[in-house]
Amino acid sequence: MDQNSLRKLVEGQLLRLEGSAFQDCMDRLGLELHPDDYQPVRAAGPKGDTKNDGYCPKARVFFAAHATRGERLDKTKAKIRGDLEGCLKEHRDVRVWRFLTNDTLPGEVDQFIDNDLRPLYPNVTVEVWGLKTLASEVSKLNRQQIDRIIDVVTVDEPEFEVVFLSHAKTGRDLWPILSVCHGWLPHAEPDDCTDEEQDLIDDAVQTFQDWSEISLDVESSRSSVRDAQRSITAILDDLAERGLSLYAGSKDDYPLVGGPSPYLGTVAIFKIVRLAGGK
């Protein structure tokens, strides 16, 4: 699996986590990133977790893990401010305070952190690791570490299986495939392609993969989806002008990485064919 596919797989797994499951996952991340220092913390007694979901006693890095997906902006800002101020009140010598969330925080929240909170505490490095940052950090690790963090075990590639492909003439045809896949298989193309056609096909497939990677963000806005679909239609039109056409499909429950037991996801399949009478 290439790095982009792996990162998207990790993002998808992180998005599914809520509440204590997300905190447990962040503990596993902390233990992998700081194996000789990280200490998980859980609420106990009347003082709760003392505004500390985990920390590194030596490095003085404190973590607050909170699944913010779908939460109101005012609640998210209050949570961040309360956790930061509570941590600084309860603990000495806090050098780094890191807020971990499986969402991409809106600009208003990010602005609140930068304009309001950081100036109040200039001696503390206040960090926010959202979905993209978390997925990027996890994906830098080796495969065994990633398996432990996202709590899956991966499997070897499956045996050959027939998948029916549909003719994708427009972006609206292709978008339902791109928006749900976690990765993609190597594309197929005609054997007699010229160098120019190969470059055109490679650029087209790379663009499809790029749209797939950001599809979660794109689908937050209907107009963004329409823009994406129009861009894809233009690419398909370029292929058609060269007598080439795209057939696409998807395969569910596909083992995404190697190993003994499954983590399964949906993969996209692209096949470029030469139209009858094409160039």
Side-chain angles (χ1 to χ4, degrees), residues 245-261:
S245 189
L246 172 71
Y247 282 77
S250 62
K251 175 69 178 72
D252 296 330
D253 298 328
Y254 187 91
L256 292 164
V257 281
S261 340

Side-chain angles (χ1 to χ4, degrees), residues 19 25 32 40 64 67-68 90 93 95 97 123 135 148 168 190 198 246 277:
C25 180
E32 295 296 338
T68 58
E90 295 283 349
D93 192 23
R95 297 177 188 171
W97 185 81
N123 296 324
R148 287 194 292 268
Q198 287 178 338
L246 172 71

Side-chain angles (χ1 to χ4, degrees), residues 190-244:
D191 293 331
D192 61 347
C193 286
T194 65
D195 290 345
E196 187 178 9
E197 288 172 338
Q198 287 178 338
D199 290 342
L200 178 64
I201 291 170
D202 289 344
D203 288 344
V205 172
Q206 183 60 58
T207 302
F208 299 154
Q209 293 173 355
D210 291 343
W211 279 120
S212 177
E213 286 183 8
I214 63 172
S215 59
L216 288 172
D217 295 329
V218 172
E219 293 206 318
S220 64
S221 164
R222 186 173 179 180
S223 63
S224 296
V225 172
R226 287 198 297 266
D227 289 342
Q229 292 174 345
R230 290 166 183 162
S231 173
I232 293 167
T233 297
I235 294 171
L236 296 174
D237 289 343
D238 288 342
L239 290 173
E241 288 181 4
R242 298 302 303 256
L244 300 168

Side-chain angles (χ1 to χ4, degrees), residues 143-206:
R143 195 57 52 81
Q144 292 74 24
Q145 290 175 301
I146 294 172
D147 286 352
R148 287 194 292 268
I149 291 167
I150 63 176
D151 199 23
V152 300
V153 185
T154 55
V155 298
D156 295 323
E157 288 192 4
E159 296 180 358
F160 175 79
E161 183 176 341
V162 174
V163 176
F164 292 97
L165 307 181
S166 300
H167 188 186
K169 299 179 180 179
T170 69
R172 292 185 66 180
D173 297 333
L174 190 56
W175 187 255
I177 295 172
L178 299 182
S179 63
V180 300
C181 70
H182 301 97
W184 38 82
L185 300 184
H187 71 274
E189 63 186 44
D191 293 331
D192 61 347
C193 286
T194 65
D195 290 345
E196 187 178 9
E197 288 172 338
Q198 287 178 338
D199 290 342
L200 178 64
I201 291 170
D202 289 344
D203 288 344
V205 172
Q206 183 60 58

